């Protein structure tokens, strides 16, 4: 399949290009700022699908709205219609419009004209048209300090630069770039579009938040490097925002250090904490060193020996029952501590031992649920 992307160097276009490059059966032709409308006929030769993403939203001269949004769309539809007349081939077009098409401002008016031109091509020549009135699209590679508050906040906060919040209660409707691309690709494969009440194609999910909540959330991401506590970043808006924030980190911030506690036994380092799913740490122990020697009432832990040989000892605080087991890095085996059993771990190997540790709750010095008691 051969596809044409107009606006290929823009935010959505860059992301779309990368996704299409992962599909070896797709040949991509790009229309960029280096082209003018006269190039469209040549670029459209043999094309099976068009992603019409080009547009102007921050011109120095408002006339550029008409040229870059309306007139370019007219030229595209004219050439696609000619192809339909000459060969009967009806090349589908996805158009990235904007929710501002109903706002009445110069940008919105130019997008509305473009929509009407595309709808006309559908009526006159049967060209399959999918018009997306996209809200605020966010994600990696969006230009900061331009027209995306998410990009601006992520870029500035990642660099300790100030952000401006005029009204924290200003509502925002957001859609994530990967969700946009996924919907586009499904349409390219022949799936039916999801349409809203107004008949335009829509991308789901759409997220609602406020400017103040957005700023607060991104600052939580920034602070997680110092307090080591990560938010629930595995799904939904928080996942998408976290991925976006990290994508704006300058290269010098790709790494950060965490506190390391060293004593005669070895090293103990906390790596990652969560508000309600525990924390991750690792520790080392020199040959012959024993760590632990305590019990918990409720806290549980999981240990994984990643280097060396370990002897785990347990004793039931009620019955006195004892139990021992050996673990080595040769076998990926999780050893779990059980409430009410005092336990310790001894390095019985000849080299420094390294052990990963997960505890089901964050360590609270005031309520540690850790009671010293030799096995």
């Amino acid at each position: 399949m051969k596809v044409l992307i107009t606006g290929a160097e823009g935010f959505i276009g860059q992301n779309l290009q990368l996704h299409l490059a992962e599909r070896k059966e797709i040949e991509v032709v790009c229309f960029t700022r280096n082209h003018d409308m006269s190039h469209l006929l040549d670029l459209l030769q043999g094309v099976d699908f068009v992603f019409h993403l080009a547009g102007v939203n921050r011109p120095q001269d408002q006339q550029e709205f008409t040229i870059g949004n309306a007139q370019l769309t007219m030229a595209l539809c004219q050439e696609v219609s000619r192809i339909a007349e000459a060969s009967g081939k009806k090349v589908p077009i996805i158009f990235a419009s904007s929710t501002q098409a109903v706002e009445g401002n110069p940008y919105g008016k130019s997008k509305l004209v473009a929509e009407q031109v595309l709808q006309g091509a559908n009526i006159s020549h049967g060209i399959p048209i999918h018009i997306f009135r996209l809200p605020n699209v966010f994600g990696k590679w969006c230009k900061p300090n331009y027209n995306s508050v998410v990009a601006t906040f992520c870029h500035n906060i990642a660099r300790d630069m100030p952000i401006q919040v005029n009204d924290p209660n200003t509502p925002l409707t957001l859609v994530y770039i990967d969700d946009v691309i996924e919907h586009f690709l499904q349409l390219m494969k022949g799936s039916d579009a999801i349409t809203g009440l107004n008949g335009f194609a829509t991308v789901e999910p759409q997220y609602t938040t406020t400017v103040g909540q957005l700023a607060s959330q991104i600052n939580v991401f920034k602070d997680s490097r110092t307090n080591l506590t990560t938010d629930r970043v595995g799904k939904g808006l928080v996942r998408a925002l976290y991925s976006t924030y990290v994508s704006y980190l300058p290269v010098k911030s790709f790494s950060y250090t965490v506190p390391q506690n060293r004593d005669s036994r070895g090293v103990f380092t906390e790596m990652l904490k969560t508000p309600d799913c525990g924390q991750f740490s690792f520790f080392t122990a020199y040959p012959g060193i024993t760590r632990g020697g305590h019990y918990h009432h409720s806290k549980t832990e999981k240990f994984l020996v990643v280097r060396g040989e370990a002897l785990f000892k347990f004793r039931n605080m009620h019955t006195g029952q004892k139990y021992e087991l050996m673990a080595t890095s040769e076998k990926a085996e999780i050893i779990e501590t059980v409430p009410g059993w005092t336990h310790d771990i001894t390095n019985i190997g000849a080299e420094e031992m390294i052990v990963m540790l997960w505890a089901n709750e964050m360590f609270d010095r005031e309520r540690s649920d850790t009671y010293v008691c030799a096995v």
Side-chain angles (χ1 to χ4, degrees):
M1 175 181 278
K2 185 176 182 180
V3 304
L4 169 66
I5 305 174
T6 72
E9 294 179 348
F11 162 48
I12 298 178
Q14 290 173 7
N15 279 272
L16 178 59
Q17 281 196 71
L18 182 59
H19 280 267
L20 290 174
E22 297 158 5
R23 293 158 172 80
K24 302 306 180 184
E25 73 279 9
I26 304 296
E27 178 186 353
V28 178
V29 180
C30 296
F31 179 93
T32 70
R33 289 189 179 90
N34 296 323
H35 296 94
D36 58 45
M37 298 176 199
S38 64
H39 292 100
L40 281 174
L41 180 58
D42 288 338
L43 292 175
L44 280 166
Q45 296 305 308
V47 163
D48 303 297
F49 204 96
V50 175
F51 296 95
H52 183 28
L53 312 178
V56 175
N57 54 22
R58 284 282 187 95
Q60 295 184 357
D61 183 348
Q62 290 195 0
Q63 183 63 24
E64 294 178 43
F65 282 134
T66 301
I67 298 171
N69 296 332
Q71 292 182 7
L72 176 61
T73 303
M74 291 176 189
L76 175 65
C77 287
Q78 185 178 51
E79 300 302 341
V80 170
S81 296
R82 285 178 181 172
I83 292 172
E85 292 171 357
S87 66
K89 183 178 183 179
K90 299 174 182 180
V91 180
I93 301 174
I94 285 178
F95 177 51
S97 187
S98 168
T99 54
Q100 293 192 46
V102 296
E103 295 296 326
N105 55 54
Y107 170 68
K109 288 179 180 179
S110 65
K111 284 291 190 180
L112 181 60
V113 171
E115 292 178 358
Q116 293 167 344
V117 170
L118 287 159
Q119 290 165 340
N122 171 256
I123 294 170
S124 65
H125 291 81
I127 307 300
I129 301 296
H130 307 284
I131 299 174
F132 287 82
R133 283 184 170 176
L134 295 171
N136 298 283
V137 185
F138 71 98
K140 64 181 181 299
W141 305 337
C142 188
K143 186 177 180 180
N145 301 301
Y146 189 61
N147 64 351
S148 168
V149 64
V150 177
T152 300
F153 282 7
C154 288
H155 175 273
N156 288 15
I157 290 173
R159 289 162 175 76
D160 297 317
M161 296 167 59
I163 61 172
Q164 182 175 337
V165 178
N166 295 324
D167 181 0
N169 296 315
T170 299
L172 289 172
T173 301
L174 304 172
V175 63
Y176 185 46
I177 184 62
D178 285 5
D179 295 325
V180 173
I181 301 300
E182 177 63 24
H183 281 67
F184 284 4
L185 296 181
Q186 289 301 320
L187 286 173
M188 182 188 71
K189 296 175 186 176
S191 298
D192 294 331
I194 301 173
T195 55
L197 296 176
N198 56 11
F200 293 96
T202 61
V203 174
E204 297 292 341
Q206 293 189 11
Y207 304 105
T208 57
T209 186
T210 66
V211 172
Q213 290 170 343
L214 175 66
S216 176
Q217 181 64 74
I218 297 173
N219 274 303
V220 166
F221 298 151
K222 174 182 173 60
D223 293 342
S224 68
R225 287 189 161 201
T226 52
N227 60 29
L228 304 186
T229 303
T230 187
D231 210 338
R232 287 178 170 266
V233 296
K235 62 181 181 179
L237 177 60
V238 179
R239 170 185 176 270
L241 286 174
Y242 182 67
S243 175
T244 303
Y245 171 74
V246 172
S247 76
Y248 284 89
L249 290 172
V251 292
K252 66 179 182 181
S253 297
F254 280 11
S255 66
Y256 62 101
T257 59
V258 294
Q260 192 172 76
N261 302 297
R262 183 182 295 273
D263 58 26
S264 58
R265 299 170 298 173
V267 171
F268 179 82
T269 300
E270 293 178 325
M271 174 186 170
L272 180 70
K273 303 177 182 180
T274 69
D276 52 10
C277 293
Q279 67 178 52
F280 294 87
S281 314
F282 81 88
F283 64 84
T284 69
Y286 300 122
I289 292 295
T290 297
R291 282 185 172 273
H294 56 242
Y295 67 89
H296 314 291
H297 286 294
S298 298
K299 180 188 293 187
T300 64
E301 300 158 317
K302 295 179 186 289
F303 295 86
L304 174 65
V305 178
V306 296
R307 188 174 77 183
E309 302 173 69
L311 175 64
F312 287 84
K313 295 180 180 180
F314 301 86
R315 177 170 60 84
N316 188 296
M317 295 298 294
H318 174 62
T319 66
Q321 178 185 357
K322 292 185 177 182
Y323 180 67
E324 294 184 0
L325 63 86
M326 291 181 56
T328 76
S329 54
E330 299 299 315
K331 180 181 179 181
E333 182 179 16
I334 301 295
I335 292 87
E336 194 149 25
T337 62
V338 179
W341 290 70
T342 188
H343 53 273
D344 63 27
I345 174 173
T346 302
N347 181 357
I348 58 174
E351 62 178 347
E352 184 180 34
M353 179 177 66
I354 302 177
V355 180
M356 292 294 301
L357 164 64
W358 171 81
N360 71 316
E361 59 188 47
M362 280 200 294
F363 180 73
D364 181 349
R365 194 170 297 277
E366 299 300 318
R367 301 182 62 184
S368 65
D369 189 17
T370 301
Y371 302 90
V372 176
C373 183
V375 176

